[in-house]
Amino acid sequence: MAIKEYLLTPGPTWIPQRIFEAMARGTVHHRTDVFKRSFGEALEGVQWLFGATETPLLLACSGTGAMEAVLRNVTRGGESVVYVNAGIFGERWGKIASRLGLNGVPVHAPTAGESISAAALEETLHRTPECRALCLQVVETSTAVLHPVAELAAIARRVCPQALIIVDAISAAATLPCTLQALNADIVIGASQKAVMLPPGLAFVALAPRAWQSVEQGDARSLYFDFKIERKAHLERTSAWTPALHLILGFNEAVRILREEGLENTFARHERLSRLARTGLEALELRLLAPSCPAPGVTGAYPPDGVDADALRSSMVKKFGVRIAGGQGGLTGKIIRIGHMGYISEIDLLGAIAALEICLREAGAAARVGAGTAAVVEQMGR
Ligand code: PMP
């Protein structure tokens, strides 16, 4: 018998059967009234999730595609953008900016596992008074850090009022409030393969009226990602190019599931999972990566001295079919990350902690078997 697999990575994530079934209804042609109804429903779902009053965009690409598309549409070559760099996804804003001929100005986190300081952001903005945008993440997935986005955005609004606040909520959407209003943002970006519980390939962009004005005045330097063309099509409940049809049908089912749970309950579940993950890891004597700013959907930790993070992860897969994530960038091979976003329950997380503690023992770590699971069980269901 093939071993049953448990996916606890911060994307792609586990997908509920209901969503697969919604996508398996067979191909509907996208230029039909039937599909237009589904497309319109999906646009309403994005508006609901991200608090958009204007038409949002549904793009057939991964999250990075949407990040690049946004910068293309609201900037012109030579302009400056300030970006928060607390890991590889923050760094990605800088890479995109440089490909587009923009002057990317980073604000670095002091160490891996921390957010940036408000004072460092303020100082950088003062040095870049003409800056066109502040780009950041809600959750820097590579370090499991939750940034205080609304507070950082408030600083930018005060120091550089013309700058658009562009927020990547890819690994945060549906784990905590990610509306334009809650994040104090002009643009919020999401992607399908995280807590939205879909396969990869669909991205969401919500734009406030001020951001749409920038799009209207700008030049996307792109055909596929020209938001003006796409908006015109979206207003007619269709897309300019062939849409990710099945993902859109799946998205409508995902929104139904989220509405049934109630977003506030979804957020509370993620908060609980995050607390349980920290409890279990600490009880196993692992040092948390981001203890002061933990994310609701992913938790990172350093294994004990002498334990190889990647070997530990492979033994969890081999022995128990439990797949968690490792480090990226400078943290490659140094950490483990447990994804607990989307279709994940407390029992799933308990299983991952059990697998971890047994594999830690086999790797020679001192922690007592049962310490992690006992600490988690003690807090479960509360
Ligand atoms: N930003 C964040 C915060 C992410 O977690 C990810 C994916 N892990 C991305 C951007 C990139 O998205 P994609 O892999 O879908 O291009």
Side-chain angles (χ1 to χ4, degrees), residues 278-356:
R278 295 197 298 279
T279 300
L281 291 166
E282 285 193 306
L284 288 170
E285 298 172 17
L286 273 72
R287 184 160 62 86
L288 295 177
L289 184 57
S292 60
C293 43
V298 56
T299 302
Y302 294 92
D305 286 346
V307 176
D308 181 279
D310 288 345
L312 178 66
R313 289 195 305 118
S314 348
S315 63
M316 288 172 70
V317 174
K318 272 199 212 109
K319 223 173 160 59
F320 297 108
V322 172
R323 188 176 296 279
I324 61 171
Q328 297 166 294
L331 291 170
T332 301
K334 296 188 181 152
I335 56 161
I336 58 167
R337 289 176 303 145
I338 301 184
H340 36 76
M341 59 178 74
Y343 191 44
I344 294 282
S345 71
E346 296 188 7
I347 290 288
D348 295 326
L349 186 61
L350 177 67
I353 296 289
L356 177 63

Side-chain angles (χ1 to χ4, degrees), residues 159-182:
V159 180
C160 295
Q162 80 290 349
L164 290 176
I165 313 295
I166 303 177
V167 181
D168 157 3
I170 291 169
S171 58
T175 73
L176 82 171
C178 283
T179 56
L180 287 160
Q181 301 75 17

Side-chain angles (χ1 to χ4, degrees), residues 10 62-65 67 89 92 137 139 141 168 170-171 191 193-194:
S62 83
T64 308
M67 291 165 70
F89 296 109
R92 192 160 300 178
Q137 270 69 38
V139 168
T141 322
D168 157 3
I170 291 169
S171 58
Q193 78 276 23
K194 308 269 178 184

